[in-house]
């Protein structure tokens, strides 16, 4: 059973989400403050963390940044902050997804299921892919540049592998959303792909990813498998 940490200070909403996810087959640990969540993270490992941003003892953005330093767990922000800059801040803090309130529990479960499927499929990947000074160990789910490990979120890693699998070909935003997020774009903000592409380019320090206006993105470097 895959473990989820839910940080939501609204007790009624916390109970509702917990019940729904448990009914879907997940093990859920509930926390209502940052302090409680950090204590849970010290004691256990989680496949997914669902986190509010506005909390009684601080900001969920700070927790996201700290988690990205120590963990590659999937991370979803679930918040009432719905402006474009709020979403950008969420993704820059390390989120794999950003859901605004009010929201559908059915959509939340669908997103959680999609993320968990990615965990399973990523573990089944084998071999090593490389392009110039960047290398991806698909079995270990790790990325290296000049021999040094680069900390990528699971979404960023999946995005990189998808671009490499299609190296030299343009992939549209719609194809990326469908492949990486398992959705058709209806429930994902259009900035999701743009923000994740920007984060990936910055972390890898590469100019191999190009935006083809009106069409999508392309990885121009030669990718080899071994």
């Amino acid at each position: 059973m895959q473990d989820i940490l839910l940080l939501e200070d609204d007790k009624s909403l916390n109970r509702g989400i917990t019940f729904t996810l448990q009914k879907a087959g997940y093990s859920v640990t509930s926390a209502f403050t940052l302090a409680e969540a950090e204590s849970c993270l010290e004691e256990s490992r989680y496949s997914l963390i669902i986190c509010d941003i506005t909390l009684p003892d601080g900001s969920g953005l700070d927790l996201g940044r700290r988690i990205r330093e120590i963990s590659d767990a999937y991370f979803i922000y679930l918040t009432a902050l719905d402006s474009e800059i709020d979403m950008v801040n969420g993704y820059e803090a390390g989120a794999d997804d950003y859901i605004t309130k009010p929201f559908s529990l059915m959509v939340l479960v669908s997103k959680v299921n999609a993320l968990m499927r990615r965990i399973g499929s990523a573990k089944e990947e084998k071999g090593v892919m490389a392009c110039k000074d960047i290398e991806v160990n698909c079995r270990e789910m790790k990325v290296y540049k000049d021999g040094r490990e680069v900390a990528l979120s699971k979404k960023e890693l999946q995005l990189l592998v998808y671009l490499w699998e299609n190296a030299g070909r343009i992939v549209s935003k719609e194809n990326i959303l469908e492949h990486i997020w398992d959705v058709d774009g209806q429930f994902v903000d259009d900035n999701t792909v743009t923000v994740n592409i920007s984060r990936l380019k910055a972390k890898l320090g590469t100019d191999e990813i190009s935006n083809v206006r009106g069409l999508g993105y392309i990885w121009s470097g030669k990718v080899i498998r071994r």
Side-chain angles (χ1 to χ4, degrees):
M1 183 177 291
Q2 292 164 313
D3 295 328
I4 297 173
L5 173 62
L6 171 63
L7 172 52
E8 168 57 62
D9 63 315
D10 184 313
K11 294 183 179 180
S12 177
L13 181 57
N14 193 312
R15 286 194 297 269
I17 295 172
T18 297
F19 174 79
T20 302
L21 291 174
Q22 288 176 337
K23 189 175 179 180
Y26 298 106
S27 172
V28 182
T29 299
S30 294
F32 301 91
T33 65
L34 285 170
E36 290 178 0
E38 289 171 346
S39 177
C40 292
L41 288 166
E42 289 177 359
E43 298 175 359
S44 305
R45 293 176 62 88
Y46 299 92
S47 299
L48 171 66
I49 299 162
I50 301 174
C51 179
D52 195 356
I53 292 180
T54 305
L55 295 158
D57 57 343
S59 171
L61 295 176
D62 295 330
L63 178 65
R65 295 186 188 100
R66 289 197 293 273
I67 287 174
R68 278 293 164 254
E69 294 176 356
I70 61 173
S71 172
D72 62 352
Y74 279 118
F75 201 97
I76 296 177
Y77 279 121
L78 190 63
T79 174
L81 301 177
D82 59 359
S83 72
E84 181 175 330
I85 189 60
D86 289 324
M87 295 180 185
V88 170
N89 287 338
Y91 284 116
E92 289 184 344
D96 294 290
D97 208 339
Y98 191 104
I99 303 175
T100 57
K101 302 175 182 176
F103 62 95
S104 161
L105 284 172
M106 183 180 298
V107 171
L108 175 62
V109 172
S110 295
K111 286 176 175 287
V112 170
N113 289 339
L115 291 174
M116 293 305 190
R117 284 197 298 272
R118 293 301 178 192
I119 293 176
S121 62
K123 288 180 178 179
E124 293 174 359
E125 293 285 348
K126 295 181 172 59
V128 172
M129 303 173 72
C131 180
K132 296 184 178 179
D133 57 353
I134 303 171
E135 180 178 284
V136 176
N137 187 315
C138 297
R139 181 186 294 274
E140 297 178 357
M141 295 180 63
K142 292 183 178 180
V143 179
Y144 301 88
K145 182 178 175 67
D146 290 325
R148 296 183 178 181
E149 185 175 352
V150 180
L152 298 184
S153 71
K154 285 187 172 70
K155 288 297 184 190
E156 292 163 352
L157 173 58
Q158 291 164 6
L159 179 57
L160 175 61
V161 171
Y162 183 60
L163 290 171
W164 279 15
E165 289 174 341
N166 293 277
R169 297 194 295 268
I170 298 172
V171 290
S172 68
K173 281 188 177 182
E174 292 74 19
N175 286 339
I176 292 173
L177 285 171
E178 182 178 358
H179 184 84
I180 306 299
W181 279 268
D182 266 359
V183 295
D184 60 8
Q186 183 179 358
F187 303 115
V188 178
D189 188 86
D190 190 53
N191 286 322
T192 299
V193 175
T194 302
V195 170
N196 277 272
I197 288 284
S198 297
R199 280 175 21 199
L200 187 60
K201 291 174 69 173
K203 289 184 177 182
L204 295 177
T206 181
D207 57 2
E208 298 286 353
I209 308 175
S210 301
N211 180 7
V212 183
R213 184 178 295 275
L215 295 177
Y217 297 90
I218 184 171
W219 182 279
S220 56
K222 182 179 180 180
V223 177
I224 62 173
R225 294 176 180 268
R226 58 176 186 269

